[in-house]
Amino acid sequence: MNSPTTYLTAALYKFVSLPDYQALQVPLLKACQAHRIKGTLLLAEEGINGTIAGLADDVRDLLSFLRQDPIFKNRLADLEHKESYANEHPFYRMKVKLKKEIVTLGVPGVSPTKKVGTYVAAADWNALITDPEVLLIDTRNSYEVDIGTFKGAIDPKTTTFREFPQYIAEHFDKTKHKKVAMFCTGGIRCEKASAYLIEKGFTDVYQLHGGIIKYGLEEGGEDFDGSCYVFDNRV
């Protein structure tokens, strides 16, 4: 009896200036197709974001393409990714989409390439969030929070990330809330959220580096209550 095929899933993002992002769409799609990769990648002037899957060697070859190919001009040389494995392919097709933002906050001028909150490693996260002076915010949407979150985390009850700035404006004060820690699925939403808070005058802003996914991989997720929604066939 044949053993099931194992597929490697890679979640990736990087905020980096890509003024030529439109010209990158076709070469990137062709590279993914040549390596039999499926999933979705988003390209915008502010960077790249997405999740891809395929056979392990194919995925790693595609990641090498992103980090080394001349069309990216070394702008993705230090691209990080997170890995997981499954016996079934989590995606059905390959898409490379052009966007205004790789994660949509809807506030012009907010860019993690300019300033961002302090990264907190998974190993140091539990100590931070048990500090009584720290305000812990889950930056994900309500349907994600409903199936799992860190104990004591505030749910902004947003349906889209665009609602996050209004929630902050209505509920938090930079003069009262001195320490703010935030987390999301893979880290990307916190990049924008922390950049936004700093733009608004919050000073001690922290974010879980690599998000819940990396925390689960490195720390086992014991202090995360529930499951993590990851936008494909997995939870």
Side-chain angles (χ1 to χ4, degrees), residues 74-110:
N74 294 321
R75 291 171 293 184
L76 302 182
D78 57 350
L79 177 71
E80 294 184 8
H81 73 281
K82 293 173 282 294
E83 296 185 354
S84 61
Y85 291 87
N87 292 331
E88 295 183 2
H89 207 303
F91 302 110
Y92 304 108
R93 62 185 66 85
M94 184 65 222
K95 295 176 285 187
V96 178
K97 298 181 178 181
L98 301 179
K99 295 286 187 177
K100 291 182 178 179
E101 300 177 75
I102 56 174
V103 58
T104 305
L105 183 67
V107 180
V110 174

Side-chain angles (χ1 to χ4, degrees), residues 47-68:
I48 185 171
N49 175 32
T51 308
I52 55 175
L55 298 179
D57 287 345
D58 292 334
V59 172
R60 294 196 173 100
D61 285 346
L62 193 278
L63 292 170
S64 294
F65 168 82
L66 291 172
R67 293 172 178 133
Q68 301 173 13

Side-chain angles (χ1 to χ4, degrees), residues 15 46 101-107 110 112 137-144 156-168 182-184 187-197 231:
F15 283 98
E46 67 178 9
E101 300 177 75
I102 56 174
V103 58
T104 305
L105 183 67
V107 180
V110 174
I137 304 175
D138 192 330
T139 66
R140 301 171 303 152
N141 298 325
S142 289
Y143 66 90
E144 300 168 80
K157 299 192 181 301
T158 56
T159 55
T160 72
F161 192 42
R162 283 180 174 272
E163 298 171 5
F164 185 78
Q166 182 178 350
Y167 176 83
I168 293 296
M182 297 178 292
F183 64 94
C184 57
I188 185 170
R189 219 174 306 187
C190 288
E191 299 270 12
K192 273 284 184 78
S194 68
Y196 174 76
L197 261 65
F231 301 98

Side-chain angles (χ1 to χ4, degrees), residues 102-131:
I102 56 174
V103 58
T104 305
L105 183 67
V107 180
V110 174
S111 173
T113 61
K114 299 176 183 176
K115 47 193 170 184
V116 73
T118 301
Y119 295 110
V120 180
D124 301 321
W125 182 246
N126 290 347
L128 174 68
I129 65 176
T130 54
D131 181 342

